[in-house]
Amino acid sequence: NAGVTQTPKFRVLKTGQSMTLLCAQDMNHEYMYWYRQDPGMGLRLIHYSVGEGTTAKGEVPDGYNVSRLKKQNFLLGLESAAPSQTSVYFCASSDGTGGNQPQHFGDGTRLSIL
Amino acid sequence: EDQVTQSPEALRLQEGESSSLNCSYTVSGLRGLFWYRQDPGKGPEFLFTLYSAGEEKEKERLKATLTKKESFLHITAPKPEDSATYLCAVQGARRGATNKLIFGTGTLLAVQP
């Protein structure tokens, strides 16, 4: 049972380069989320989606774009990478029925911007 | 503004030495408080959800409790494999419709044999 799968696991970019992080979930979850985790700051929500074709901004959306063309996939894009975007990025998903549902996380993408 | 504070930042225990981790929260209309475990190089792993004050949940050596202002994660007779970072998160009424969470910065637990 794969759960939430993130690719790639590691990446090094130069300032100004672009890239896309892929998240795939096999739990048929409606909701998906992208977070970044930095030392001493906890997990911060970048963007999220409540269903196929929908996206919304989280706490720290600047410099990132997202797309949810298929229910099982949620893509995070960096158009012009900056050193401040060096971080560990986590994708999560949750069941959309009712409320209070826990989020289930992938194992992260470690991204370094030089 | 919804806020979560965890203490201590780090805790070192001897194997078998019981202790508690604290999660203090401020949220408008608590819909759920969540505990996660995170191992190095891995994503957070869901442990418990608590919904209302007075509720308790248990799993092996872990027991989570909830009051109106804080939650405790009690670790009884810990083993080295319990070493991890433990994260607390809350969902308030404003975020309930989308299951969005506010996370604390975690407690790094090290259990020495």
Side-chain angles (χ1 to χ4, degrees):
Chain A
N1 189 5
V4 178
T5 303
Q6 294 184 234
T7 53
K9 297 188 186 310
F10 303 93
R11 187 71 184 269
V12 178
L13 290 179
K14 294 181 179 179
T15 298
Q17 287 185 319
S18 63
M19 79 161 296
T20 300
L21 282 64
L22 174 63
C23 176
Q25 53 96 1
D26 62 3
M27 297 173 282
N28 201 36
H29 284 167
E30 287 292 333
Y31 298 164
M32 296 187 75
Y33 315 83
W34 275 108
Y35 291 89
R36 60 178 290 172
Q37 187 175 42
D38 302 292
M41 302 196 70
L43 285 156
R44 293 182 292 167
L45 184 65
I46 304 171
H47 286 283
Y48 65 99
S49 168
V50 298
E52 182 178 315
T54 73
T55 63
K57 294 180 180 180
E59 302 171 62
V60 289
D62 294 343
Y64 305 95
N65 57 75
V66 288
S67 64
R68 182 108 181 261
L69 298 180
K70 295 182 178 180
K71 184 177 183 178
Q72 64 268 33
N73 295 336
F74 196 28
L75 279 63
L76 178 71
L78 286 72
E79 290 187 347
S80 180
S84 61
Q85 294 177 305
T86 293
S87 188
V88 182
Y89 291 86
F90 288 100
C91 176
S93 69
S94 71
D95 191 337
T97 57
N100 316 330
Q101 300 298 321
Q103 296 180 15
H104 300 275
F105 286 80
D107 281 339
T109 294
R110 283 141 189 85
L111 182 61
S112 293
I113 315 295
L114 304 179
Chain B
E1 181 179 343
D2 299 347
Q3 193 169 359
V4 177
T5 303
Q6 293 188 245
S7 61
E9 289 186 7
L11 180 63
R12 189 184 300 270
L13 300 174
Q14 292 296 123
E15 185 171 2
E17 180 187 2
S18 301
S19 187
S20 297
L21 313 183
N22 177 262
C23 171
S24 297
Y25 65 89
T26 303
V27 66
S28 176
L30 180 71
R31 291 173 57 91
L33 184 141
F34 301 79
W35 281 99
Y36 287 84
R37 169 192 171 125
Q38 186 174 21
D39 293 301
K42 298 291 186 179
E45 176 188 352
F46 171 68
L47 292 174
F48 305 110
T49 307
L50 301 168
Y51 297 105
S52 59
E55 188 175 1
E56 299 181 351
K57 294 261 179 88
E58 288 190 65
K59 180 180 180 180
E60 296 181 355
R61 294 175 293 283
L62 300 177
K63 179 180 177 181
T65 62
L66 181 65
T67 72
K68 288 186 177 180
K69 293 184 178 180
E70 58 192 350
S71 176
F72 291 94
L73 186 64
H74 306 278
I75 304 175
T76 302
K79 298 182 177 181
E81 52 262 42
D82 294 321
S83 298
T85 296
Y86 290 86
L87 302 174
C88 173
V90 297
Q91 183 187 96
R94 287 194 302 118
R95 295 176 172 82
T98 56
N99 293 336
K100 288 195 291 181
L101 300 175
I102 294 295
F103 280 86
T105 54
T107 293
L108 176 61
L109 175 66
V111 182
Q112 295 181 314

